[in-house]
Amino acid sequence: MSQRLVRFWQPAAAVILLCLLWLAGCTAHPVPVPKLDPTSEPTAVSVGAAVGAPTGAPPSAPTAAPLAEQDTLALPAAFRYEVTVRPAGMPEEPATVITGQYRDGAWSQSSRYGEDAGEDLIVARAGPSGPLWSYTRLAGETTWTRWPGEGFDAGYGLASPFSALRLYPLADERAPGEADALQGVAESVTKAQAVFTADTVQRLLRAGAFAVAVAQEERSALDAQLTPLYVPQTVTYWAGAEGRVQQAAATLLTLDPDGEPAPWLEVVWRFWGYDDPAITVAAPAAYADADESAPAAQSAAAPTPEVALDPRTNLRVRVFALPGVPVEKVKVTVYPAGKKKPLGSTDAQDAQFVLPAGTYDVLVEAGGAEEWLKGLAMVEGNVVSQDVVFDFGTLALTVVQNGATPKVDIVIYPAGQRQSWADYRAENPTSAYLRAGKYDVEVALPDFTGNKVVEGIEVRSGETVSQTIRLDQ
Protein backbone atom coordinates (compact mmCIF):
# COMPACT_ATOMS: atom_id res chain seq x y z
CA MET A 1 0.00 0.00 0.00
CA SER A 2 1.52 3.29 -1.11
CA GLN A 3 2.24 5.96 1.44
CA ARG A 4 2.82 8.84 -0.94
CA LEU A 5 0.41 8.71 -3.87
CA VAL A 6 -1.97 11.58 -4.51
CA ARG A 7 -5.43 10.52 -5.64
CA PHE A 8 -7.87 12.77 -7.48
CA TRP A 9 -11.66 12.71 -7.04
CA GLN A 10 -13.68 10.80 -9.59
CA PRO A 11 -17.42 11.55 -9.27
CA ALA A 12 -18.40 7.97 -10.07
CA ALA A 13 -16.66 6.58 -7.01
CA ALA A 14 -17.79 8.26 -3.82
CA VAL A 15 -15.74 6.16 -1.45
CA ILE A 16 -12.51 7.31 -3.09
CA LEU A 17 -12.83 10.61 -1.27
CA LEU A 18 -11.98 8.91 1.99
CA CYS A 19 -8.95 7.31 0.37
CA LEU A 20 -8.06 10.58 -1.26
CA LEU A 21 -6.77 12.28 1.84
CA TRP A 22 -5.89 9.86 4.57
CA LEU A 23 -7.19 6.33 4.21
CA ALA A 24 -4.82 4.90 1.61
CA GLY A 25 -2.62 3.59 4.38
CA CYS A 26 -2.09 6.97 5.90
CA THR A 27 -4.77 8.37 8.07
CA ALA A 28 -6.35 8.95 16.41
CA HIS A 29 -7.60 10.83 18.46
CA PRO A 30 -10.73 12.73 17.76
CA VAL A 31 -10.31 16.15 19.31
CA PRO A 32 -13.46 18.29 18.97
CA VAL A 33 -13.72 22.05 19.06
CA PRO A 34 -13.69 23.06 22.73
CA LYS A 35 -17.22 23.43 24.01
CA LEU A 36 -16.40 26.08 26.61
CA ASP A 37 -14.97 29.56 26.89
CA PRO A 38 -12.03 29.02 29.27
CA THR A 39 -12.52 32.45 30.79
CA SER A 40 -15.99 31.68 32.08
CA GLU A 41 -16.64 27.93 32.05
CA PRO A 42 -14.82 24.70 32.96
CA THR A 43 -11.90 24.11 30.63
CA ALA A 44 -10.61 20.85 29.21
CA VAL A 45 -7.05 19.97 28.32
CA SER A 46 -6.31 16.90 26.20
CA VAL A 47 -3.35 14.62 25.79
CA GLY A 48 -2.30 12.22 23.04
CA ALA A 49 -1.54 8.52 22.73
CA ALA A 50 0.28 6.24 25.13
CA VAL A 51 4.06 6.48 25.07
CA GLY A 52 5.73 3.58 23.35
CA ALA A 53 9.09 3.44 21.63
CA PRO A 54 8.77 1.44 18.38
CA THR A 55 11.63 -0.78 17.40
CA GLY A 56 13.03 -1.93 14.08
CA ALA A 57 15.36 -0.64 11.40
CA PRO A 58 14.58 2.97 10.49
CA PRO A 59 13.82 3.83 6.88
CA SER A 60 16.26 5.81 4.81
CA ALA A 61 16.07 9.50 5.61
CA PRO A 62 14.87 11.71 2.75
CA THR A 63 17.18 14.29 1.29
CA ALA A 64 16.81 17.55 3.16
CA ALA A 65 14.81 20.23 1.40
CA PRO A 66 16.48 23.56 0.61
CA LEU A 67 16.30 26.10 3.43
CA ALA A 68 13.68 28.22 1.67
CA GLU A 69 11.46 25.17 1.23
CA GLN A 70 11.89 24.19 4.88
CA ASP A 71 10.73 27.67 5.90
CA THR A 72 7.69 27.27 3.65
CA LEU A 73 6.74 24.10 5.52
CA ALA A 74 6.98 25.67 9.00
CA LEU A 75 3.97 25.29 11.33
CA PRO A 76 2.98 26.53 14.79
CA ALA A 77 4.42 24.41 17.60
CA ALA A 78 1.08 22.86 18.59
CA PHE A 79 -2.59 23.10 17.67
CA ARG A 80 -5.77 21.09 17.14
CA TYR A 81 -7.71 20.87 13.91
CA GLU A 82 -10.83 19.62 12.17
CA VAL A 83 -11.27 19.23 8.40
CA THR A 84 -14.61 18.71 6.65
CA VAL A 85 -14.35 17.81 2.96
CA ARG A 86 -16.72 16.65 0.23
CA PRO A 87 -16.63 16.60 -3.58
CA ALA A 88 -17.50 19.98 -5.07
CA GLY A 89 -21.03 20.34 -6.36
CA MET A 90 -22.28 17.21 -4.59
CA PRO A 91 -24.02 18.47 -1.42
CA GLU A 92 -25.84 15.15 -1.00
CA GLU A 93 -22.55 13.29 -0.73
CA PRO A 94 -21.59 12.48 2.90
CA ALA A 95 -18.70 14.55 4.16
CA THR A 96 -15.37 13.17 5.27
CA VAL A 97 -14.43 14.64 8.67
CA ILE A 98 -10.90 14.48 10.07
CA THR A 99 -10.09 15.62 13.61
CA GLY A 100 -6.64 15.67 15.11
CA GLN A 101 -3.84 17.38 16.98
CA TYR A 102 -0.29 18.39 16.04
CA ARG A 103 2.92 19.02 17.96
CA ASP A 104 6.45 19.62 16.67
CA GLY A 105 6.25 17.59 13.48
CA ALA A 106 4.13 14.73 14.86
CA TRP A 107 0.37 14.40 14.69
CA SER A 108 -2.52 12.07 15.41
CA GLN A 109 -5.91 12.15 13.77
CA SER A 110 -9.10 10.22 13.19
CA SER A 111 -11.39 10.25 10.17
CA ARG A 112 -14.89 9.20 9.31
CA TYR A 113 -16.91 9.17 6.08
CA GLY A 114 -20.52 10.16 6.74
CA GLU A 115 -21.80 7.91 9.50
CA ASP A 116 -19.19 5.25 8.77
CA ALA A 117 -16.10 4.78 10.91
CA GLY A 118 -12.90 5.49 9.02
CA GLU A 119 -9.28 5.14 10.01
CA ASP A 120 -6.91 6.43 12.68
CA LEU A 121 -3.44 7.75 11.95
CA ILE A 122 -0.45 8.63 14.09
CA VAL A 123 2.71 10.08 12.56
CA ALA A 124 5.53 10.16 15.11
CA ARG A 125 9.26 9.70 15.45
CA ALA A 126 11.02 6.60 16.69
CA GLY A 127 12.73 8.36 19.57
CA PRO A 128 13.51 12.09 19.98
CA SER A 129 15.69 12.30 16.86
CA GLY A 130 14.65 9.16 14.99
CA PRO A 131 12.85 8.89 11.65
CA LEU A 132 9.12 9.45 11.20
CA TRP A 133 6.81 6.46 11.05
CA SER A 134 3.11 6.30 10.18
CA TYR A 135 0.78 4.10 12.23
CA THR A 136 -2.66 3.29 10.84
CA ARG A 137 -5.64 1.22 11.88
CA LEU A 138 -9.29 0.95 11.02
CA ALA A 139 -11.52 2.63 13.58
CA GLY A 140 -12.46 0.12 16.26
CA GLU A 141 -9.41 -2.07 15.73
CA THR A 142 -6.82 -2.46 18.48
CA THR A 143 -3.65 -3.24 16.49
CA TRP A 144 -1.82 -0.54 14.56
CA THR A 145 0.09 -1.12 11.31
CA ARG A 146 3.41 0.70 11.02
CA TRP A 147 4.65 2.19 7.74
CA PRO A 148 7.99 3.90 7.07
CA GLY A 149 7.90 7.64 6.56
CA GLU A 150 4.85 9.85 6.25
CA GLY A 151 2.15 10.03 3.60
CA PHE A 152 2.03 13.00 1.27
CA ASP A 153 -1.75 13.50 1.32
CA ALA A 154 -2.14 13.77 5.10
CA GLY A 155 0.92 15.92 5.67
CA TYR A 156 1.26 18.01 2.51
CA GLY A 157 -1.77 17.51 0.23
CA LEU A 158 -3.68 20.61 -0.79
CA ALA A 159 -6.67 19.71 1.42
CA SER A 160 -4.45 18.99 4.44
CA PRO A 161 -4.96 21.29 7.44
CA PHE A 162 -1.22 21.89 7.42
CA SER A 163 -1.33 23.20 3.85
CA ALA A 164 -4.11 25.64 4.77
CA LEU A 165 -1.88 27.10 7.50
CA ARG A 166 1.24 27.09 5.32
CA LEU A 167 -0.52 28.90 2.48
CA TYR A 168 -1.83 31.72 4.67
CA PRO A 169 1.37 33.82 4.80
CA LEU A 170 2.10 33.10 1.12
CA ALA A 171 -0.98 34.90 -0.27
CA ASP A 172 -0.26 36.73 -3.53
CA GLU A 173 -3.37 38.88 -3.04
CA ARG A 174 -5.52 39.47 0.02
CA ALA A 175 -8.88 41.24 0.01
CA PRO A 176 -9.59 43.85 2.70
CA GLY A 177 -10.74 42.02 5.80
CA GLU A 178 -13.98 42.48 7.68
CA ALA A 179 -14.84 41.72 11.28
CA ASP A 180 -16.74 38.48 11.74
CA ALA A 181 -17.77 36.13 14.52
CA LEU A 182 -17.16 32.39 14.71
CA GLN A 183 -19.17 30.05 16.89
CA GLY A 184 -17.04 28.73 19.72
CA VAL A 185 -14.29 31.37 19.22
CA ALA A 186 -14.14 33.98 21.99
CA GLU A 187 -11.79 36.44 20.29
CA SER A 188 -12.83 38.70 17.43
CA VAL A 189 -11.65 37.53 14.02
CA THR A 190 -11.20 39.09 10.62
CA LYS A 191 -12.58 37.38 7.53
CA ALA A 192 -10.64 37.87 4.29
CA GLN A 193 -10.14 36.13 0.96
CA ALA A 194 -6.62 35.16 -0.07
CA VAL A 195 -5.62 34.37 -3.65
CA PHE A 196 -2.69 32.09 -4.47
CA THR A 197 -1.20 31.92 -7.92
CA ALA A 198 -0.44 28.64 -9.63
CA ASP A 199 3.26 29.27 -8.97
CA THR A 200 2.66 29.67 -5.22
CA VAL A 201 0.58 26.47 -5.06
CA GLN A 202 3.26 24.65 -7.02
CA ARG A 203 5.98 25.94 -4.70
CA LEU A 204 4.20 24.66 -1.60
CA LEU A 205 3.25 21.25 -2.99
CA ARG A 206 6.71 20.66 -4.43
CA ALA A 207 8.23 21.50 -1.04
CA GLY A 208 6.02 18.78 0.43
CA ALA A 209 7.13 16.32 -2.26
CA PHE A 210 10.73 17.14 -1.39
CA ALA A 211 9.99 16.36 2.27
CA VAL A 212 8.53 12.87 1.71
CA ALA A 213 10.25 11.57 -1.44
CA VAL A 214 13.74 10.17 -0.99
CA ALA A 215 14.96 9.93 -4.57
CA GLN A 216 14.74 12.35 -7.49
CA GLU A 217 12.85 9.76 -9.54
CA GLU A 218 10.28 9.38 -6.79
CA ARG A 219 9.89 13.13 -6.43
CA SER A 220 9.39 13.51 -10.18
CA ALA A 221 6.65 10.87 -10.17
CA LEU A 222 4.91 12.61 -7.29
CA ASP A 223 5.24 15.98 -9.01
CA ALA A 224 3.56 14.54 -12.11
CA GLN A 225 0.59 13.48 -9.99
CA LEU A 226 0.39 16.94 -8.43
CA THR A 227 0.47 18.87 -11.70
CA PRO A 228 -3.37 19.08 -12.06
CA LEU A 229 -3.43 21.09 -8.80
CA TYR A 230 -1.04 23.76 -10.06
CA VAL A 231 -3.82 26.25 -10.72
CA PRO A 232 -4.78 29.48 -8.93
CA GLN A 233 -6.63 28.79 -5.67
CA THR A 234 -8.76 31.08 -3.49
CA VAL A 235 -9.17 30.48 0.24
CA THR A 236 -11.26 32.46 2.75
CA TYR A 237 -9.56 32.83 6.14
CA TRP A 238 -10.85 33.83 9.57
CA ALA A 239 -7.86 34.99 11.65
CA GLY A 240 -7.47 36.52 15.10
CA ALA A 241 -5.64 39.67 16.09
CA GLU A 242 -2.33 37.82 16.32
CA GLY A 243 -2.75 36.44 12.81
CA ARG A 244 -3.56 32.91 13.93
CA VAL A 245 -6.02 31.17 11.66
CA GLN A 246 -9.19 30.00 13.40
CA GLN A 247 -11.02 28.80 10.29
CA ALA A 248 -10.56 28.59 6.52
CA ALA A 249 -12.81 27.50 3.67
CA ALA A 250 -12.32 26.92 -0.04
CA THR A 251 -13.58 25.23 -3.15
CA LEU A 252 -10.32 23.76 -4.37
CA LEU A 253 -9.74 23.50 -8.11
CA THR A 254 -8.02 20.95 -10.32
CA LEU A 255 -7.52 20.68 -14.07
CA ASP A 256 -10.27 18.77 -15.87
CA PRO A 257 -9.55 16.41 -18.82
CA ASP A 258 -9.61 19.44 -21.14
CA GLY A 259 -6.94 21.20 -19.10
CA GLU A 260 -9.35 23.78 -17.65
CA PRO A 261 -9.65 24.56 -13.90
CA ALA A 262 -12.72 22.88 -12.44
CA PRO A 263 -14.18 22.59 -8.92
CA TRP A 264 -12.71 19.59 -7.12
CA LEU A 265 -13.26 19.62 -3.34
CA GLU A 266 -15.17 21.79 -0.89
CA VAL A 267 -13.14 22.04 2.32
CA VAL A 268 -13.59 23.73 5.69
CA TRP A 269 -10.63 23.78 8.10
CA ARG A 270 -10.93 24.70 11.80
CA PHE A 271 -8.04 25.34 14.21
CA TRP A 272 -7.79 25.92 17.96
CA GLY A 273 -5.65 25.10 20.99
CA TYR A 274 -2.55 26.85 19.69
CA ASP A 275 0.44 26.22 21.98
CA ASP A 276 -1.65 24.11 24.37
CA PRO A 277 1.03 22.44 26.55
CA ALA A 278 -1.21 19.40 27.05
CA ILE A 279 -1.06 18.39 23.36
CA THR A 280 1.21 15.36 23.07
CA VAL A 281 1.63 12.83 20.27
CA ALA A 282 3.53 9.56 20.62
CA ALA A 283 3.81 6.28 18.76
CA PRO A 284 1.39 3.54 19.90
CA ALA A 285 2.72 0.83 22.18
CA ALA A 286 1.40 -2.04 20.00
CA TYR A 287 1.84 -2.32 16.24
CA ALA A 288 2.60 -4.73 13.40
CA ASP A 289 4.96 -3.68 10.63
CA ALA A 290 3.31 -3.48 7.22
CA ASP A 291 5.23 -6.53 6.01
CA GLU A 292 4.53 -8.61 9.12
CA SER A 293 1.39 -10.29 10.40
CA ALA A 294 2.13 -10.51 14.12
CA PRO A 295 1.92 -7.52 16.48
CA ALA A 296 5.10 -6.32 18.08
CA ALA A 297 5.57 -7.20 21.74
CA GLN A 298 4.04 -4.75 24.16
CA SER A 299 3.53 -4.27 27.82
CA ALA A 300 -0.06 -4.06 28.96
CA ALA A 301 1.09 -1.62 31.61
CA ALA A 302 2.80 0.86 29.30
CA PRO A 303 3.58 4.01 31.26
CA THR A 304 1.20 6.91 30.93
CA PRO A 305 2.80 10.25 30.04
CA GLU A 306 2.79 12.71 32.89
CA VAL A 307 0.62 15.72 32.19
CA ALA A 308 1.11 18.88 34.19
CA LEU A 309 -2.01 20.14 35.94
CA ASP A 310 -3.29 23.53 34.98
CA PRO A 311 -3.00 25.55 38.22
CA ARG A 312 -6.75 26.25 38.06
CA THR A 313 -7.77 22.58 37.66
CA ASN A 314 -9.89 21.18 40.47
CA LEU A 315 -11.34 18.10 38.71
CA ARG A 316 -9.15 15.59 36.91
CA VAL A 317 -10.47 12.38 35.31
CA ARG A 318 -8.02 9.99 33.67
CA VAL A 319 -9.42 7.24 31.44
CA PHE A 320 -7.73 3.91 30.70
CA ALA A 321 -8.50 0.97 28.41
CA LEU A 322 -6.48 -1.32 30.68
CA PRO A 323 -4.49 -0.56 33.84
CA GLY A 324 -1.89 2.00 32.78
CA VAL A 325 -2.99 2.00 29.10
CA PRO A 326 -4.82 5.18 28.03
CA VAL A 327 -7.98 4.94 25.95
CA GLU A 328 -7.61 6.00 22.32
CA LYS A 329 -11.11 7.49 21.98
CA VAL A 330 -12.90 8.98 24.96
CA LYS A 331 -15.42 11.62 25.95
CA VAL A 332 -15.75 13.05 29.46
CA THR A 333 -18.83 15.17 30.20
CA VAL A 334 -19.58 17.12 33.38
CA TYR A 335 -23.13 17.76 34.67
CA PRO A 336 -24.41 19.54 37.77
CA ALA A 337 -25.45 16.73 40.11
CA GLY A 338 -28.84 15.32 39.12
CA LYS A 339 -29.17 17.60 36.06
CA LYS A 340 -29.37 16.63 32.40
CA LYS A 341 -27.83 19.74 30.84
CA PRO A 342 -24.02 19.35 30.60
CA LEU A 343 -21.61 22.06 31.65
CA GLY A 344 -18.98 20.93 29.19
CA SER A 345 -17.05 18.01 27.76
CA THR A 346 -13.67 17.02 26.38
CA ASP A 347 -12.19 14.20 24.30
CA ALA A 348 -9.03 14.15 26.40
CA GLN A 349 -7.81 10.96 28.03
CA ASP A 350 -6.50 13.10 30.88
CA ALA A 351 -9.49 15.40 31.33
CA GLN A 352 -9.07 18.54 33.42
CA PHE A 353 -11.84 20.94 34.43
CA VAL A 354 -12.14 24.17 36.41
CA LEU A 355 -15.43 24.06 38.32
CA PRO A 356 -17.12 26.25 40.91
CA ALA A 357 -17.69 24.72 44.35
CA GLY A 358 -20.61 22.29 44.23
CA THR A 359 -21.54 18.70 43.43
CA TYR A 360 -21.22 17.17 39.97
CA ASP A 361 -21.90 14.01 37.99
CA VAL A 362 -19.39 12.95 35.34
CA LEU A 363 -20.14 10.67 32.38
CA VAL A 364 -17.12 8.87 30.91
CA GLU A 365 -17.62 7.26 27.47
CA ALA A 366 -15.11 5.12 25.58
CA GLY A 367 -15.39 2.46 22.90
CA GLY A 368 -19.19 2.33 23.16
CA ALA A 369 -19.02 1.80 26.94
CA GLU A 370 -19.85 4.33 29.64
CA GLU A 371 -19.18 4.88 33.34
CA TRP A 372 -20.83 7.41 35.64
CA LEU A 373 -19.04 9.14 38.50
CA LYS A 374 -21.85 10.42 40.68
CA GLY A 375 -21.85 13.07 43.38
CA LEU A 376 -18.31 14.43 43.09
CA ALA A 377 -18.04 17.26 45.61
CA MET A 378 -15.85 20.20 44.58
CA VAL A 379 -14.48 22.26 47.46
CA GLU A 380 -12.44 25.41 46.95
CA GLY A 381 -8.72 24.71 47.20
CA ASN A 382 -9.03 20.93 46.66
CA VAL A 383 -8.36 18.85 43.54
CA VAL A 384 -10.61 15.82 42.96
CA SER A 385 -8.85 13.14 40.89
CA GLN A 386 -10.58 10.01 39.54
CA ASP A 387 -9.25 7.17 37.35
CA VAL A 388 -11.65 5.12 35.21
CA VAL A 389 -10.41 1.75 33.86
CA PHE A 390 -12.69 0.08 31.31
CA ASP A 391 -10.84 -3.28 31.06
CA PHE A 392 -11.42 -3.59 27.32
CA GLY A 393 -10.94 -6.71 25.25
CA THR A 394 -11.55 -7.40 21.56
CA LEU A 395 -14.20 -9.67 20.04
CA ALA A 396 -13.26 -10.70 16.48
CA LEU A 397 -16.23 -12.06 14.51
CA THR A 398 -16.47 -13.84 11.16
CA VAL A 399 -19.85 -14.85 9.73
CA VAL A 400 -19.82 -17.67 7.17
CA GLN A 401 -22.58 -18.98 4.91
CA ASN A 402 -21.96 -21.63 2.24
CA GLY A 403 -18.23 -21.01 2.45
CA ALA A 404 -18.55 -17.25 1.87
CA THR A 405 -18.60 -14.20 4.16
CA PRO A 406 -21.88 -12.45 3.23
CA LYS A 407 -22.95 -8.93 4.05
CA VAL A 408 -24.58 -9.03 7.46
CA ASP A 409 -25.95 -6.98 10.32
CA ILE A 410 -24.33 -7.86 13.65
CA VAL A 411 -25.74 -6.69 16.98
CA ILE A 412 -23.84 -7.39 20.20
CA TYR A 413 -25.78 -7.37 23.48
CA PRO A 414 -24.69 -7.81 27.08
CA ALA A 415 -25.46 -11.45 27.84
CA GLY A 416 -29.05 -12.17 28.73
CA GLN A 417 -30.63 -8.86 27.77
CA ARG A 418 -31.92 -7.15 24.63
CA GLN A 419 -32.88 -3.74 25.99
CA SER A 420 -29.72 -2.00 24.78
CA TRP A 421 -26.91 -3.19 22.56
CA ALA A 422 -23.19 -2.93 23.26
CA ASP A 423 -22.13 -2.59 19.61
CA TYR A 424 -23.45 -2.83 16.06
CA ARG A 425 -21.42 -3.83 13.01
CA ALA A 426 -22.21 -4.09 9.29
CA GLU A 427 -18.77 -5.38 8.25
CA ASN A 428 -17.81 -9.04 7.86
CA PRO A 429 -15.30 -10.01 9.21
CA THR A 430 -15.23 -7.37 11.94
CA SER A 431 -14.05 -6.77 15.48
CA ALA A 432 -15.48 -4.86 18.41
CA TYR A 433 -13.78 -3.25 21.39
CA LEU A 434 -15.79 -4.30 24.46
CA ARG A 435 -15.55 -4.26 28.23
CA ALA A 436 -14.63 -7.58 29.79
CA GLY A 437 -17.72 -9.73 30.29
CA LYS A 438 -20.13 -12.04 28.48
CA TYR A 439 -22.06 -11.09 25.35
CA ASP A 440 -24.75 -12.45 23.05
CA VAL A 441 -24.26 -11.91 19.32
CA GLU A 442 -27.20 -11.76 16.92
CA VAL A 443 -26.42 -12.00 13.20
CA ALA A 444 -28.88 -11.42 10.37
CA LEU A 445 -28.57 -11.15 6.61
CA PRO A 446 -29.82 -7.77 5.35
CA ASP A 447 -32.59 -9.51 3.34
CA PHE A 448 -33.67 -11.47 6.45
CA THR A 449 -33.08 -14.84 4.76
CA GLY A 450 -30.99 -16.10 7.65
CA ASN A 451 -30.09 -15.26 11.21
CA LYS A 452 -28.44 -16.78 14.23
CA VAL A 453 -27.84 -15.95 17.89
CA VAL A 454 -24.72 -17.07 19.73
CA GLU A 455 -24.96 -16.59 23.48
CA GLY A 456 -22.45 -16.24 26.29
CA ILE A 457 -19.29 -15.30 24.40
CA GLU A 458 -16.76 -14.23 27.02
CA VAL A 459 -14.51 -11.24 26.32
CA ARG A 460 -11.46 -11.05 28.57
CA SER A 461 -9.59 -7.92 29.52
CA GLY A 462 -6.60 -7.21 27.28
CA GLU A 463 -7.24 -10.23 25.04
CA THR A 464 -8.71 -10.90 21.61
CA VAL A 465 -11.41 -13.57 21.39
CA SER A 466 -12.22 -14.91 17.91
CA GLN A 467 -15.59 -16.40 17.02
CA THR A 468 -16.77 -17.86 13.70
CA ILE A 469 -20.55 -17.91 13.28
CA ARG A 470 -21.92 -20.25 10.60
CA LEU A 471 -25.37 -19.39 9.32
CA ASP A 472 -25.71 -22.72 7.49
CA GLN A 473 -25.33 -24.92 10.57
Side-chain angles (χ1 to χ4, degrees), residues 26 45 47 51 87 91 104 133 196 213 217 236 264 306-307 311 340 342 346 370 386 388 395 407 415 441 456 464 468:
C26 201
V45 183
V47 297
V51 171
D104 296 333
W133 294 85
F196 306 93
E217 181 179 352
T236 301
W264 171 43
E306 273 301 314
V307 177
K340 294 182 178 180
T346 176
E370 63 179 42
Q386 295 279 326
V388 177
L395 176 58
K407 292 183 178 180
V441 178
T464 297
T468 299

Side-chain angles (χ1 to χ4, degrees), residues 353-374:
F353 296 90
V354 179
L355 300 170
T359 305
Y360 299 88
D361 297 335
V362 178
L363 174 61
V364 182
E365 301 170 273
E370 63 179 42
E371 182 88 10
W372 278 97
L373 304 174
K374 296 279 192 175

Side-chain angles (χ1 to χ4, degrees), residues 9 25 61 94 101 118 168 187 195 198 211 225 249 282 323 361 397 423 435 455 459:
W9 172 255
Q101 58 186 8
Y168 183 65
E187 68 172 318
V195 177
Q225 295 181 67
D361 297 335
L397 296 169
D423 207 333
R435 300 189 81 168
E455 298 180 337
V459 175

Side-chain angles (χ1 to χ4, degrees), residues 432-447:
Y433 206 37
L434 302 167
R435 300 189 81 168
K438 291 188 176 182
Y439 294 87
D440 299 340
V441 178
E442 184 173 358
V443 180
L445 292 170
D447 57 5

Side-chain angles (χ1 to χ4, degrees), residues 446-461:
D447 57 5
F448 304 105
T449 58
N451 71 288
K452 190 167 187 176
V453 176
V454 178
E455 298 180 337
I457 300 174
E458 185 176 2
V459 175
R460 294 179 290 275
S461 176

Side-chain angles (χ1 to χ4, degrees), residues 17-205:
L17 180 59
L18 197 58
C19 300
L20 167 70
L21 299 174
W22 285 278
L23 295 188
C26 201
T27 319
H29 306 288
V31 187
V33 174
K35 310 287 194 306
L36 307 171
D37 178 353
T39 63
S40 59
E41 299 283 358
T43 57
V45 183
S46 68
V47 297
V51 171
T55 59
S60 301
T63 306
L67 181 59
E69 306 294 11
Q70 293 176 352
D71 292 342
T72 299
L73 299 179
L75 288 170
F79 55 90
R80 308 183 197 280
Y81 57 87
E82 177 186 81
V83 185
T84 303
V85 59
R86 59 165 44 92
M90 300 179 69
E92 74 287 349
E93 184 66 32
T96 296
V97 180
I98 301 99
T99 54
Q101 58 186 8
Y102 171 95
R103 177 172 290 282
D104 296 333
W107 70 93
S108 62
Q109 65 184 34
S110 197
S111 69
R112 69 179 188 274
Y113 175 68
E115 297 300 320
D116 298 332
E119 192 174 45
D120 301 329
L121 165 71
I122 296 176
V123 176
R125 295 193 178 278
S129 58
L132 280 173
W133 294 85
S134 296
Y135 302 82
T136 63
R137 68 178 184 184
L138 294 176
E141 299 290 335
T142 56
T143 300
W144 296 82
T145 299
R146 185 177 74 162
W147 308 81
E150 57 184 319
F152 180 89
D153 291 326
Y156 305 95
L158 192 54
S160 164
F162 311 139
S163 292
L165 291 181
R166 289 164 173 151
L167 278 171
Y168 183 65
L170 303 179
D172 297 286
E173 298 179 30
R174 198 183 303 274
E178 59 182 24
D180 200 3
L182 286 177
Q183 184 176 2
V185 177
E187 68 172 318
S188 60
V189 297
T190 299
K191 174 185 176 182
Q193 274 195 338
V195 177
F196 306 93
T197 65
D199 287 344
T200 298
V201 174
Q202 180 176 354
R203 174 191 170 196
L204 179 66
L205 295 182

